[in-house]
Amino acid sequence: MKISIALTKGRVEKQFLQYVKTRGFEVGPLIDKGRKLLVETDEFICIFVKGVDVATYVEYGICDIGIVGEDILAEDQPDVFDLMPLPFGKCRFALCGKPESIRHNRKRRIATKYPHVTQRFFREKGESVDIVKLEGSVELAPIVGLADAIVDIVETGNTLRENGLVVIENIQPITSRLIANRSALKLKKDAIQPFIQKLQGEEILK
Ligand code: PRP
């Protein structure tokens, strides 16, 4: 029985394929897929989708497992089983802004692609903020005065530096994660368990 995998297109896809290759899986057809969105090998059926859609394919049972950033899981909180962290895609959520914005004395407006994460963060701090949802280039918001600060992903810190912003507070570390459809974990256990064992080198499913 083949395992179906939903894979985040782009950088995570390349890192995952390199990772599984080092674990002894045959990934040639997945690396040489061109513009195909669904590729079948002797072991896998693999689909290539945007990160925000990975958990949807897994939650609906189209794919048994998925590889997705923890940022997306934290924001969308899909009904999937979070199996394990993967050793790539490491970055962090942080509150960032102009150096002079660290001190503030009024209700702040926060721009972010992650409104739920931002809401939870400020609720736990007991601070009321206005949240502006953006889809990208979030670092621009404090520069042009759309927001007082941002909650975003920081990986190398280059985007912050090049736009004159600093980390005001780290929120949480993030990594890529292996998720699974809850039913598939039981129904396709005989296929999924050896796959995870080969990835991990130890038994994790009972
Ligand atoms: C992400 C994130 C930051 C940047 C952080 O953006 O939203 O802008 O990467 O990486 P760094 O610390 O290594 O500079 P992405 O590249 O996904 O583009 P976006 O602005 O369109 O969201």
Side-chain angles (χ1 to χ4, degrees):
M1 205 187 314
K2 289 185 187 181
I3 298 177
S4 50
I5 306 177
L7 191 46
T8 301
K9 281 198 288 190
R11 199 169 10 166
V12 169
E13 165 194 333
K14 290 184 178 62
Q15 288 171 323
F16 177 73
L17 293 177
Q18 279 310 314
Y19 175 65
V20 294
K21 192 175 170 188
T22 64
R23 292 292 196 271
F25 292 100
E26 170 53 45
V27 294
L30 302 173
I31 289 172
D32 303 328
K33 70 177 175 54
R35 299 285 296 171
K36 279 193 199 131
L37 299 174
L38 189 154
V39 178
E40 194 162 347
T41 72
D42 292 342
E43 291 168 293
F44 311 119
I45 298 166
C46 209
I47 65 163
F48 299 86
V49 296
K50 280 197 163 228
V52 289
D53 295 331
V54 164
T56 305
Y57 282 93
V58 173
E59 193 173 340
Y60 279 77
I62 308 303
C63 290
D64 304 318
I65 63 172
I67 288 80
V68 64
E70 201 170 0
D71 56 324
I72 292 165
L73 297 179
E75 178 62 19
D76 295 345
Q77 302 199 312
D79 184 16
V80 294
F81 193 89
D82 188 359
L83 275 169
M84 65 180 200
L86 294 165
F88 48 82
K90 290 185 194 294
C91 51
R92 59 196 153 122
F93 274 131
L95 174 66
C96 311
K98 293 201 259 188
E100 59 269 31
S101 71
I102 294 175
R103 289 189 191 173
H104 61 94
N105 52 13
R106 62 185 171 91
K107 187 172 185 181
R108 289 190 282 183
R109 195 192 291 156
I110 310 294
T112 186
K113 286 188 280 189
Y114 304 95
H116 295 119
V117 169
T118 303
Q119 190 65 260
R120 283 201 299 276
F121 171 66
F122 281 102
R123 195 184 301 133
E124 279 165 25
K125 285 169 78 73
E127 181 180 343
S128 170
V129 294
D130 291 325
I131 295 173
V132 180
K133 169 87 158 65
L134 292 176
E135 298 298 334
S137 303
V138 180
E139 290 83 355
L140 184 64
I143 299 172
V144 297
L146 176 64
D148 300 300
I150 61 172
V151 167
D152 200 14
I153 284 174
V154 179
E155 189 180 353
T156 61
N158 288 340
T159 311
L160 289 181
R161 267 190 297 281
E162 291 189 22
N163 289 286
L165 305 181
V166 294
V167 171
I168 298 170
E169 190 174 339
N170 286 312
I171 298 177
Q172 74 171 74
I174 291 168
T175 188
S176 291
R177 301 198 70 95
L178 190 69
I179 59 171
N181 175 272
R182 292 187 187 281
S183 307
L185 267 186
K186 296 179 193 121
L187 298 173
K188 291 179 77 172
K189 186 179 167 192
D190 291 348
I192 294 173
Q193 184 163 7
F195 170 75
I196 293 167
Q197 283 173 336
K198 198 165 161 183
L199 269 191
Q200 268 208 323
E202 60 183 272
E203 186 178 349
I204 64 161
L205 288 176
K206 295 280 177 254

